Amino acid sequence: RPVPAHRLEAFGFYSNDKFEIIFDSPRGDDPNQLAVTDLGYTVDFARLIASDYYVPDKKLSSELKLSLGRDRFHFNVGDFLFVTVENIQLQLRETAKYSLSDKLTIRGGADYLLAHVDYSARFPAVLPDNSEGPPQFGGDAEYLYTKAKGYLHSTAAFVQAEYKPHDSLLLIPGLRLDHFSRTGNFAVSPRVSARYDVDAEWALKAGIGLFAQEAQFQESDPGLGNPDLKLEKAIHYSVGGEYRPRPNIKLELTGFYKTLSDVVVTTDDAVMKNGELVALRYNNGGAGRVVGLEVSARHELAKGFFGWLAYTLSRAERRDDGETDYRLFDYDQTHILTLIGSYKLPRNWEVSSRFRLVSGNLYTPNVGAVYSSDNDEYLPIRGDINSARVGAFNQIDFRIDKKWVYDTWMLNAYLDIQNVTDRANVEGLRYNFDYTETTPDTGLPIVPVLGLRGEF
């Protein structure tokens, strides 16, 4: 059988989302109070992705991917606070695989990112502590304004070996090198994983790896943050097992643990630079840890049916700069349950559904309030950070697809209904004037989407 030479593929997409609230009557005439005329949020992005899969012989294969895209993001709260980012980027990824023998295969490659970023933002210089009440804008409040425009790039190289010292044992050691031009940081990340097939049905798996990422743009920006921030690091550990009672059914159980170091957090510290005291605003004084267990059952496509069930039990914690105790991470989710099923019908019809059940969002409750005669308003007394949750999130989605297949292209029409039961999931809480009562903020109601997609 001849080995194929090249396989070329191309894929493009575009998306635009805009949300805006306009207030007819901004709050009050007090210059020290927030008077917002509008609130807006816009996300716009486009991508063109092309790939070339090349197989010159049975031992060697190569895949080159090229991505060209543009991202635009804008957020504003009246004229007091805004962030505008436009990012035009080019990404290249080359991966090559060579089989030295039946027992050893080497895989390696490189990643490159070139981006032109145009960024501007305006923020309050200092936000008051949670216990002192809501942020005050306007009047004599101080603001930070920053903008940046220019090119940045990131380069990485990686290599890994797939070694089978025994028919039942697979070892995959690897190494990744990263350089981030924006922050000037380097990272060396070793990783290794292993798989042992006990028999045709049972297998054991384990892995450990070091991962690193640079600070967010606003955190390392000289105007808004600290340009001397180091990379955030994490060590991932996992161990688990796999069971295949049938060729199309796979059950998995995986325990995982993650430690985080040099986490970027806010700080009140300041340092001397050029004889002037400069606020750091951010440092690498945070830490974190995550522990959990994941159970999944997967029914591969057989007789027209595909199904997937996954449940994760986890706990994610963070430790802030200068603290000794850990607290729950803002996005900690104790329980995550997902159930997906799809069935292929005759004449290229397909129906599918998804059910999700997730622990509710964390929030910091107000445990009381004090009256401020100077401002003629109640100021909240905050409880422990992230010590309360809203109710659990659950949602059922439904989708039906119809495909028309032609010689050189395919047309797909679909109806996608999000939140079929129209459940009002609580995403947060709003307090009344004296913080004695709460009103829930709920998510989107039932959302039907009708669409067409062509594949050439």
Side-chain angles (χ1 to χ4, degrees), residues 6-31:
H6 289 273
R7 187 180 75 229
L8 301 176
E9 295 180 353
F11 176 66
F13 58 90
Y14 171 77
S15 176
N16 181 283
D17 294 286
K18 185 174 182 179
F19 174 79
E20 187 173 10
I21 299 176
I22 299 175
F23 300 95
D24 293 332
S25 302
R27 175 185 175 185
D29 298 323
D30 188 340

Side-chain angles (χ1 to χ4, degrees), residues 229-281:
L229 291 173
K230 299 183 294 183
L231 296 175
E232 296 182 308
K233 301 180 182 66
I235 301 178
H236 295 230
Y237 308 84
S238 66
V239 60
E242 177 185 306
Y243 174 54
R244 281 188 175 272
R246 295 183 180 179
N248 63 313
I249 297 178
K250 181 172 69 173
L251 308 177
E252 288 189 272
L253 175 65
T254 303
F256 56 88
Y257 182 70
K258 179 168 66 173
T259 61
L260 299 95
S261 59
D262 294 330
V263 176
V264 176
V265 293
T266 58
T267 180
D268 295 327
D269 294 343
V271 295
M272 293 296 298
K273 288 187 177 181
N274 300 322
E276 183 179 350
L277 192 63
V278 178
L280 288 178
R281 300 192 183 95

Side-chain angles (χ1 to χ4, degrees), residues 298-338:
R298 185 183 181 93
H299 186 288
E300 302 290 352
L301 183 61
K303 297 182 179 180
F305 175 74
F306 169 81
W308 182 48
L309 171 66
Y311 169 72
T312 301
L313 173 67
S314 67
R315 182 178 178 88
E317 298 178 320
R318 293 291 187 272
R319 189 183 66 212
D320 296 320
D321 183 35
E323 299 292 331
T324 57
D325 296 329
Y326 282 86
R327 60 170 176 81
L328 284 177
F329 178 48
D330 295 348
Y331 302 106
D332 171 76
Q333 294 177 316
T334 308
H335 306 283
I336 304 175
L337 175 65
T338 304

Side-chain angles (χ1 to χ4, degrees), residues 169-388:
L169 179 62
L170 174 62
L171 302 176
I172 308 178
L175 182 69
R176 182 178 175 91
L177 307 176
D178 288 276
H179 172 249
F180 305 95
S181 69
R182 178 167 62 85
T183 56
N185 290 314
F186 289 87
V188 180
S189 306
R191 300 158 191 176
V192 62
S193 61
R195 176 189 175 94
Y196 179 71
D197 294 319
V198 179
D199 53 33
E201 296 179 345
W202 291 91
L204 302 176
K205 300 183 294 184
I208 180 174
L210 174 65
F211 297 80
Q213 69 177 24
E214 62 181 343
Q216 299 296 315
F217 196 95
Q218 72 277 7
E219 296 170 342
S220 60
D221 179 80
L224 293 177
N226 179 1
D228 299 321
L229 291 173
K230 299 183 294 183
L231 296 175
E232 296 182 308
K233 301 180 182 66
I235 301 178
H236 295 230
Y237 308 84
S238 66
V239 60
E242 177 185 306
Y243 174 54
R244 281 188 175 272
R246 295 183 180 179
N248 63 313
I249 297 178
K250 181 172 69 173
L251 308 177
E252 288 189 272
L253 175 65
T254 303
F256 56 88
Y257 182 70
K258 179 168 66 173
T259 61
L260 299 95
S261 59
D262 294 330
V263 176
V264 176
V265 293
T266 58
T267 180
D268 295 327
D269 294 343
V271 295
M272 293 296 298
K273 288 187 177 181
N274 300 322
E276 183 179 350
L277 192 63
V278 178
L280 288 178
R281 300 192 183 95
Y282 297 95
N283 66 14
N284 292 99
R289 59 192 181 191
V290 182
V291 61
L293 182 70
E294 183 178 88
V295 182
S296 66
R298 185 183 181 93
H299 186 288
E300 302 290 352
L301 183 61
K303 297 182 179 180
F305 175 74
F306 169 81
W308 182 48
L309 171 66
Y311 169 72
T312 301
L313 173 67
S314 67
R315 182 178 178 88
E317 298 178 320
R318 293 291 187 272
R319 189 183 66 212
D320 296 320
D321 183 35
E323 299 292 331
T324 57
D325 296 329
Y326 282 86
R327 60 170 176 81
L328 284 177
F329 178 48
D330 295 348
Y331 302 106
D332 171 76
Q333 294 177 316
T334 308
H335 306 283
I336 304 175
L337 175 65
T338 304
L339 176 62
I340 297 175
S342 68
Y343 191 76
K344 292 184 177 294
L345 299 169
R347 306 186 67 174
N348 293 323
W349 286 89
E350 182 177 355
V351 293
S352 58
S353 184
R354 177 179 65 176
F355 170 73
R356 289 177 293 163
L357 176 63
V358 184
S359 297
N361 293 333
L362 288 165
Y363 69 96
T364 301
N366 294 317
V367 296
V370 294
Y371 178 72
S372 171
S373 57
D374 292 338
N375 297 322
D376 189 26
E377 65 178 343
Y378 285 87
L379 303 179
I381 301 173
R382 299 295 180 94
D384 294 334
I385 297 176
N386 293 340
S387 59

